[in-house]
mmCIF file of all heavy atoms in Angstrom:
data_model
loop_
_atom_site.group_PDB
_atom_site.id
_atom_site.type_symbol
_atom_site.label_atom_id
_atom_site.label_comp_id
_atom_site.label_asym_id
_atom_site.label_seq_id
_atom_site.Cartn_x
_atom_site.Cartn_y
_atom_site.Cartn_z
ATOM 1 N N ASN A 107 34.410 -48.597 -63.103
ATOM 2 C CA ASN A 107 35.335 -48.985 -62.026
ATOM 3 C C ASN A 107 36.606 -48.166 -62.164
ATOM 4 O O ASN A 107 37.060 -47.531 -61.231
ATOM 5 C CB ASN A 107 35.661 -50.478 -62.109
ATOM 6 C CG ASN A 107 34.559 -51.298 -61.472
ATOM 7 O OD1 ASN A 107 33.736 -50.768 -60.704
ATOM 8 N ND2 ASN A 107 34.505 -52.573 -61.801
ATOM 9 N N SER A 108 37.175 -48.214 -63.362
ATOM 10 C CA SER A 108 38.402 -47.460 -63.634
ATOM 11 C C SER A 108 38.467 -47.226 -65.142
ATOM 12 O O SER A 108 38.240 -48.161 -65.920
ATOM 13 C CB SER A 108 39.611 -48.287 -63.174
ATOM 14 O OG SER A 108 40.747 -47.987 -63.947
ATOM 15 N N THR A 109 38.757 -45.997 -65.544
ATOM 16 C CA THR A 109 38.837 -45.737 -66.994
ATOM 17 C C THR A 109 39.979 -46.552 -67.611
ATOM 18 O O THR A 109 39.914 -46.945 -68.773
ATOM 19 C CB THR A 109 39.045 -44.239 -67.301
ATOM 20 O OG1 THR A 109 40.200 -43.790 -66.601
ATOM 21 C CG2 THR A 109 37.833 -43.410 -66.922
ATOM 22 N N ASN A 110 41.036 -46.816 -66.815
ATOM 23 C CA ASN A 110 42.133 -47.626 -67.353
ATOM 24 C C ASN A 110 41.659 -49.045 -67.669
ATOM 25 O O ASN A 110 42.038 -49.617 -68.685
ATOM 26 C CB ASN A 110 43.287 -47.702 -66.339
ATOM 27 C CG ASN A 110 44.351 -46.670 -66.624
ATOM 28 O OD1 ASN A 110 44.036 -45.579 -67.098
ATOM 29 N ND2 ASN A 110 45.603 -46.987 -66.336
ATOM 30 N N THR A 111 40.806 -49.584 -66.793
ATOM 31 C CA THR A 111 40.318 -50.950 -67.022
ATOM 32 C C THR A 111 39.461 -50.991 -68.286
ATOM 33 O O THR A 111 39.579 -51.907 -69.101
ATOM 34 C CB THR A 111 39.509 -51.427 -65.792
ATOM 35 O OG1 THR A 111 40.305 -51.179 -64.640
ATOM 36 C CG2 THR A 111 39.157 -52.883 -65.871
ATOM 37 N N VAL A 127 39.028 -42.779 -73.133
ATOM 38 C CA VAL A 127 37.947 -43.226 -72.251
ATOM 39 C C VAL A 127 37.838 -42.203 -71.139
ATOM 40 O O VAL A 127 38.840 -41.851 -70.514
ATOM 41 C CB VAL A 127 38.260 -44.614 -71.638
ATOM 42 C CG1 VAL A 127 37.159 -45.028 -70.666
ATOM 43 C CG2 VAL A 127 38.440 -45.647 -72.734
ATOM 44 N N GLN A 132 34.681 -42.743 -60.731
ATOM 45 C CA GLN A 132 35.233 -44.098 -60.773
ATOM 46 C C GLN A 132 34.939 -44.764 -59.437
ATOM 47 O O GLN A 132 35.116 -44.155 -58.382
ATOM 48 C CB GLN A 132 36.745 -44.059 -60.983
ATOM 49 C CG GLN A 132 37.186 -43.445 -62.301
ATOM 50 C CD GLN A 132 38.694 -43.554 -62.510
ATOM 51 O OE1 GLN A 132 39.155 -44.204 -63.416
ATOM 52 N NE2 GLN A 132 39.460 -42.907 -61.653
ATOM 53 N N GLN A 134 36.460 -47.616 -58.542
ATOM 54 C CA GLN A 134 37.743 -48.156 -58.055
ATOM 55 C C GLN A 134 38.883 -47.523 -58.830
ATOM 56 O O GLN A 134 39.627 -48.222 -59.521
ATOM 57 C CB GLN A 134 37.783 -49.675 -58.247
ATOM 58 C CG GLN A 134 36.855 -50.409 -57.316
ATOM 59 C CD GLN A 134 36.571 -51.826 -57.798
ATOM 60 O OE1 GLN A 134 37.246 -52.376 -58.670
ATOM 61 N NE2 GLN A 134 35.557 -52.425 -57.232
ATOM 62 N N GLY A 135 38.982 -46.177 -58.743
ATOM 63 C CA GLY A 135 40.071 -45.483 -59.427
ATOM 64 C C GLY A 135 41.398 -46.036 -58.912
ATOM 65 O O GLY A 135 41.593 -46.195 -57.705
ATOM 66 N N ARG A 136 42.287 -46.358 -59.843
ATOM 67 C CA ARG A 136 43.549 -46.982 -59.446
ATOM 68 C C ARG A 136 44.708 -46.008 -59.532
ATOM 69 O O ARG A 136 44.797 -45.218 -60.470
ATOM 70 C CB ARG A 136 43.837 -48.189 -60.345
ATOM 71 C CG ARG A 136 42.798 -49.276 -60.163
ATOM 72 C CD ARG A 136 43.202 -50.568 -60.815
ATOM 73 N NE ARG A 136 42.842 -50.605 -62.233
ATOM 74 C CZ ARG A 136 43.716 -50.744 -63.209
ATOM 75 N NH1 ARG A 136 45.010 -50.831 -62.967
ATOM 76 N NH2 ARG A 136 43.320 -50.803 -64.466
ATOM 77 N N GLY A 137 45.582 -46.063 -58.525
ATOM 78 C CA GLY A 137 46.770 -45.220 -58.522
ATOM 79 C C GLY A 137 48.015 -46.085 -58.656
ATOM 80 O O GLY A 137 47.927 -47.312 -58.791
ATOM 81 N N ARG A 138 49.165 -45.453 -58.615
ATOM 82 C CA ARG A 138 50.428 -46.193 -58.679
ATOM 83 C C ARG A 138 50.612 -47.030 -57.432
ATOM 84 O O ARG A 138 50.043 -46.741 -56.394
ATOM 85 C CB ARG A 138 51.609 -45.221 -58.771
ATOM 86 C CG ARG A 138 51.856 -44.652 -60.146
ATOM 87 C CD ARG A 138 52.995 -43.643 -60.083
ATOM 88 N NE ARG A 138 54.224 -44.251 -59.580
ATOM 89 C CZ ARG A 138 54.879 -43.839 -58.496
ATOM 90 N NH1 ARG A 138 54.455 -42.828 -57.787
ATOM 91 N NH2 ARG A 138 55.995 -44.440 -58.121
ATOM 92 N N LEU A 139 51.450 -48.027 -57.538
ATOM 93 C CA LEU A 139 51.836 -48.878 -56.418
ATOM 94 C C LEU A 139 50.617 -49.458 -55.688
ATOM 95 O O LEU A 139 50.587 -49.545 -54.466
ATOM 96 C CB LEU A 139 52.744 -48.096 -55.438
ATOM 97 C CG LEU A 139 53.945 -47.363 -56.061
ATOM 98 C CD1 LEU A 139 54.636 -46.457 -55.064
ATOM 99 C CD2 LEU A 139 54.958 -48.371 -56.628
ATOM 100 N N ARG A 141 47.692 -48.265 -55.157
ATOM 101 C CA ARG A 141 46.869 -47.373 -54.344
ATOM 102 C C ARG A 141 45.530 -47.063 -55.014
ATOM 103 O O ARG A 141 45.322 -47.372 -56.180
ATOM 104 C CB ARG A 141 47.604 -46.061 -54.095
ATOM 105 C CG ARG A 141 48.837 -46.275 -53.278
ATOM 106 C CD ARG A 141 49.456 -44.950 -52.919
ATOM 107 N NE ARG A 141 50.680 -45.206 -52.190
ATOM 108 C CZ ARG A 141 51.870 -44.761 -52.534
ATOM 109 N NH1 ARG A 141 51.999 -43.987 -53.582
ATOM 110 N NH2 ARG A 141 52.924 -45.059 -51.832
ATOM 111 N N THR A 142 44.670 -46.402 -54.232
ATOM 112 C CA THR A 142 43.361 -46.015 -54.754
ATOM 113 C C THR A 142 43.439 -44.556 -55.189
ATOM 114 O O THR A 142 44.137 -43.761 -54.559
ATOM 115 C CB THR A 142 42.321 -46.128 -53.612
ATOM 116 O OG1 THR A 142 42.322 -47.485 -53.184
ATOM 117 C CG2 THR A 142 40.935 -45.742 -54.058
ATOM 118 N N TRP A 143 42.728 -44.220 -56.268
ATOM 119 C CA TRP A 143 42.665 -42.807 -56.679
ATOM 120 C C TRP A 143 41.267 -42.301 -56.353
ATOM 121 O O TRP A 143 40.283 -42.800 -56.896
ATOM 122 C CB TRP A 143 42.965 -42.685 -58.176
ATOM 123 C CG TRP A 143 43.024 -41.255 -58.645
ATOM 124 C CD1 TRP A 143 42.061 -40.595 -59.343
ATOM 125 C CD2 TRP A 143 44.087 -40.325 -58.449
ATOM 126 N NE1 TRP A 143 42.457 -39.302 -59.594
ATOM 127 C CE2 TRP A 143 43.694 -39.104 -59.049
ATOM 128 C CE3 TRP A 143 45.331 -40.387 -57.805
ATOM 129 C CZ2 TRP A 143 44.511 -37.973 -59.037
ATOM 130 C CZ3 TRP A 143 46.130 -39.256 -57.804
ATOM 131 C CH2 TRP A 143 45.729 -38.071 -58.406
ATOM 132 N N SER A 145 37.998 -40.602 -56.602
ATOM 133 C CA SER A 145 37.384 -40.167 -57.868
ATOM 134 C C SER A 145 35.952 -39.679 -57.640
ATOM 135 O O SER A 145 34.985 -40.317 -58.053
ATOM 136 C CB SER A 145 37.385 -41.330 -58.862
ATOM 137 O OG SER A 145 38.660 -41.903 -58.974
ATOM 138 N N ILE A 151 38.933 -35.033 -63.309
ATOM 139 C CA ILE A 151 39.049 -35.563 -64.671
ATOM 140 C C ILE A 151 39.636 -36.959 -64.522
ATOM 141 O O ILE A 151 40.684 -37.131 -63.896
ATOM 142 C CB ILE A 151 39.965 -34.670 -65.516
ATOM 143 C CG1 ILE A 151 39.273 -33.328 -65.780
ATOM 144 C CG2 ILE A 151 40.327 -35.351 -66.834
ATOM 145 C CD1 ILE A 151 40.163 -32.284 -66.414
ATOM 146 N N TYR A 152 38.929 -37.933 -65.061
ATOM 147 C CA TYR A 152 39.393 -39.315 -65.030
ATOM 148 C C TYR A 152 39.411 -39.777 -66.470
ATOM 149 O O TYR A 152 38.344 -39.980 -67.052
ATOM 150 C CB TYR A 152 38.459 -40.194 -64.186
ATOM 151 C CG TYR A 152 38.035 -39.495 -62.904
ATOM 152 C CD1 TYR A 152 36.713 -39.124 -62.690
ATOM 153 C CD2 TYR A 152 38.981 -39.169 -61.945
ATOM 154 C CE1 TYR A 152 36.349 -38.435 -61.542
ATOM 155 C CE2 TYR A 152 38.625 -38.483 -60.796
ATOM 156 C CZ TYR A 152 37.309 -38.110 -60.610
ATOM 157 O OH TYR A 152 36.955 -37.418 -59.484
ATOM 158 N N LEU A 153 40.587 -39.856 -67.051
ATOM 159 C CA LEU A 153 40.602 -40.262 -68.457
ATOM 160 C C LEU A 153 41.786 -41.157 -68.774
ATOM 161 O O LEU A 153 42.825 -41.090 -68.111
ATOM 162 C CB LEU A 153 40.533 -39.052 -69.387
ATOM 163 C CG LEU A 153 41.690 -38.096 -69.582
ATOM 164 C CD1 LEU A 153 42.734 -38.658 -70.527
ATOM 165 C CD2 LEU A 153 41.158 -36.802 -70.179
ATOM 166 N N SER A 154 41.595 -41.981 -69.787
ATOM 167 C CA SER A 154 42.653 -42.887 -70.227
ATOM 168 C C SER A 154 42.739 -42.823 -71.744
ATOM 169 O O SER A 154 41.713 -42.759 -72.423
ATOM 170 C CB SER A 154 42.340 -44.321 -69.819
ATOM 171 O OG SER A 154 42.147 -44.387 -68.421
ATOM 172 N N ASN A 195 55.914 -39.178 -61.760
ATOM 173 C CA ASN A 195 54.886 -38.523 -62.555
ATOM 174 C C ASN A 195 53.796 -37.841 -61.782
ATOM 175 O O ASN A 195 52.673 -37.763 -62.254
ATOM 176 C CB ASN A 195 54.234 -39.585 -63.445
ATOM 177 C CG ASN A 195 54.790 -39.464 -64.822
ATOM 178 O OD1 ASN A 195 54.977 -38.351 -65.292
ATOM 179 N ND2 ASN A 195 55.064 -40.570 -65.445
ATOM 180 N N ASP A 196 54.095 -37.397 -60.572
ATOM 181 C CA ASP A 196 53.065 -36.700 -59.798
ATOM 182 C C ASP A 196 53.115 -35.231 -60.162
ATOM 183 O O ASP A 196 54.185 -34.615 -60.165
ATOM 184 C CB ASP A 196 53.338 -36.818 -58.292
ATOM 185 C CG ASP A 196 53.153 -38.241 -57.800
ATOM 186 O OD1 ASP A 196 52.636 -39.063 -58.576
ATOM 187 O OD2 ASP A 196 53.541 -38.505 -56.650
ATOM 188 N N VAL A 197 51.962 -34.660 -60.449
ATOM 189 C CA VAL A 197 51.943 -33.228 -60.758
ATOM 190 C C VAL A 197 51.588 -32.484 -59.467
ATOM 191 O O VAL A 197 50.577 -32.771 -58.819
ATOM 192 C CB VAL A 197 50.948 -32.914 -61.894
ATOM 193 C CG1 VAL A 197 50.912 -31.418 -62.170
ATOM 194 C CG2 VAL A 197 51.358 -33.667 -63.156
ATOM 195 N N LYS A 203 49.879 -32.633 -54.278
ATOM 196 C CA LYS A 203 49.600 -33.338 -55.534
ATOM 197 C C LYS A 203 48.247 -32.949 -56.108
ATOM 198 O O LYS A 203 47.231 -32.980 -55.425
ATOM 199 C CB LYS A 203 49.646 -34.841 -55.261
ATOM 200 C CG LYS A 203 49.395 -35.709 -56.465
ATOM 201 C CD LYS A 203 49.940 -37.106 -56.195
ATOM 202 C CE LYS A 203 49.465 -38.101 -57.218
ATOM 203 N NZ LYS A 203 50.142 -39.396 -57.071
ATOM 204 N N ALA A 205 47.585 -33.935 -59.637
ATOM 205 C CA ALA A 205 47.270 -34.899 -60.697
ATOM 206 C C ALA A 205 48.254 -36.059 -60.645
ATOM 207 O O ALA A 205 49.385 -35.913 -60.173
ATOM 208 C CB ALA A 205 47.354 -34.220 -62.070
ATOM 209 N N GLY A 206 47.784 -37.207 -61.122
ATOM 210 C CA GLY A 206 48.650 -38.394 -61.136
ATOM 211 C C GLY A 206 48.441 -39.175 -62.417
ATOM 212 O O GLY A 206 47.432 -39.011 -63.110
ATOM 213 N N ILE A 207 49.422 -39.998 -62.722
ATOM 214 C CA ILE A 207 49.385 -40.752 -63.989
ATOM 215 C C ILE A 207 49.664 -42.227 -63.728
ATOM 216 O O ILE A 207 50.597 -42.566 -62.997
ATOM 217 C CB ILE A 207 50.430 -40.168 -64.969
ATOM 218 C CG1 ILE A 207 49.883 -38.841 -65.518
ATOM 219 C CG2 ILE A 207 50.684 -41.088 -66.157
ATOM 220 C CD1 ILE A 207 50.750 -37.694 -65.344
ATOM 221 N N LEU A 208 48.830 -43.059 -64.305
ATOM 222 C CA LEU A 208 49.041 -44.503 -64.187
ATOM 223 C C LEU A 208 49.150 -45.086 -65.592
ATOM 224 O O LEU A 208 48.200 -45.033 -66.367
ATOM 225 C CB LEU A 208 47.857 -45.151 -63.453
ATOM 226 C CG LEU A 208 47.918 -46.664 -63.323
ATOM 227 C CD1 LEU A 208 49.030 -47.077 -62.356
ATOM 228 C CD2 LEU A 208 46.587 -47.221 -62.821
ATOM 229 N N THR A 209 50.343 -45.597 -65.902
ATOM 230 C CA THR A 209 50.565 -46.143 -67.249
ATOM 231 C C THR A 209 50.524 -47.660 -67.181
ATOM 232 O O THR A 209 51.122 -48.261 -66.300
ATOM 233 C CB THR A 209 51.982 -45.755 -67.735
ATOM 234 O OG1 THR A 209 52.214 -44.412 -67.362
ATOM 235 C CG2 THR A 209 52.124 -45.897 -69.215
ATOM 236 N N GLU A 210 49.822 -48.257 -68.121
ATOM 237 C CA GLU A 210 49.797 -49.717 -68.182
ATOM 238 C C GLU A 210 50.039 -50.121 -69.623
ATOM 239 O O GLU A 210 49.602 -49.417 -70.541
ATOM 240 C CB GLU A 210 48.457 -50.243 -67.683
ATOM 241 C CG GLU A 210 48.242 -49.885 -66.210
ATOM 242 C CD GLU A 210 46.923 -50.358 -65.652
ATOM 243 O OE1 GLU A 210 45.917 -49.685 -65.917
ATOM 244 O OE2 GLU A 210 46.909 -51.383 -64.975
ATOM 245 N N LEU A 223 47.494 -44.641 -71.100
ATOM 246 C CA LEU A 223 47.933 -43.532 -70.237
ATOM 247 C C LEU A 223 46.722 -43.086 -69.440
ATOM 248 O O LEU A 223 45.789 -42.500 -70.000
ATOM 249 C CB LEU A 223 48.399 -42.349 -71.084
ATOM 250 C CG LEU A 223 49.776 -42.384 -71.711
ATOM 251 C CD1 LEU A 223 50.087 -41.027 -72.320
ATOM 252 C CD2 LEU A 223 50.823 -42.729 -70.672
ATOM 253 N N GLY A 224 46.715 -43.364 -68.175
ATOM 254 C CA GLY A 224 45.584 -42.977 -67.323
ATOM 255 C C GLY A 224 45.939 -41.718 -66.554
ATOM 256 O O GLY A 224 46.968 -41.650 -65.877
ATOM 257 N N ILE A 225 45.102 -40.702 -66.695
ATOM 258 C CA ILE A 225 45.410 -39.403 -66.081
ATOM 259 C C ILE A 225 44.267 -39.004 -65.154
ATOM 260 O O ILE A 225 43.094 -39.021 -65.551
ATOM 261 C CB ILE A 225 45.608 -38.317 -67.167
ATOM 262 C CG1 ILE A 225 46.687 -38.761 -68.153
ATOM 263 C CG2 ILE A 225 45.949 -36.963 -66.535
ATOM 264 C CD1 ILE A 225 46.908 -37.824 -69.329
ATOM 265 N N GLY A 226 44.599 -38.663 -63.948
ATOM 266 C CA GLY A 226 43.592 -38.188 -62.993
ATOM 267 C C GLY A 226 43.967 -36.794 -62.529
ATOM 268 O O GLY A 226 45.116 -36.551 -62.133
ATOM 269 N N VAL A 227 43.010 -35.863 -62.617
ATOM 270 C CA VAL A 227 43.284 -34.489 -62.164
ATOM 271 C C VAL A 227 42.219 -34.101 -61.145
ATOM 272 O O VAL A 227 41.022 -34.305 -61.374
ATOM 273 C CB VAL A 227 43.234 -33.465 -63.342
ATOM 274 C CG1 VAL A 227 43.663 -32.081 -62.877
ATOM 275 C CG2 VAL A 227 44.082 -33.925 -64.520
HETATM 276 C C1 BTN B 1 48.919 -42.014 -59.130
HETATM 277 O O1 BTN B 1 49.432 -40.898 -58.993
HETATM 278 O O2 BTN B 1 48.975 -42.851 -58.230
HETATM 279 C C2 BTN B 1 48.252 -42.323 -60.430
HETATM 280 C C3 BTN B 1 46.803 -41.933 -60.428
HETATM 281 C C4 BTN B 1 46.125 -42.190 -61.756
HETATM 282 C C5 BTN B 1 44.631 -41.956 -61.708
HETATM 283 C C6 BTN B 1 43.990 -42.053 -63.043
HETATM 284 S S1 BTN B 1 42.315 -41.535 -63.031
HETATM 285 C C7 BTN B 1 42.083 -42.142 -64.633
HETATM 286 C C8 BTN B 1 42.831 -43.458 -64.706
HETATM 287 N N1 BTN B 1 41.985 -44.519 -64.218
HETATM 288 C C9 BTN B 1 42.450 -45.063 -63.095
HETATM 289 O O3 BTN B 1 41.901 -45.980 -62.457
HETATM 290 N N2 BTN B 1 43.591 -44.455 -62.745
HETATM 291 C C10 BTN B 1 43.963 -43.441 -63.681
#
Side-chain angles (χ1 to χ4, degrees):
N107 278 343
S108 151
T109 55
N110 264 33
T111 310
V127 177
Q132 297 185 116
Q134 289 162 15
R136 295 192 275 120
R138 280 177 59 239
L139 309 171
R141 295 186 183 123
T142 300
W143 185 257
S145 309
I151 290 171
Y152 318 114
L153 72 79
S154 304
N195 259 320
D196 292 350
V197 178
K203 181 160 168 172
I207 285 125
L208 177 70
T209 318
E210 297 179 281
L223 281 188
I225 305 176
V227 186

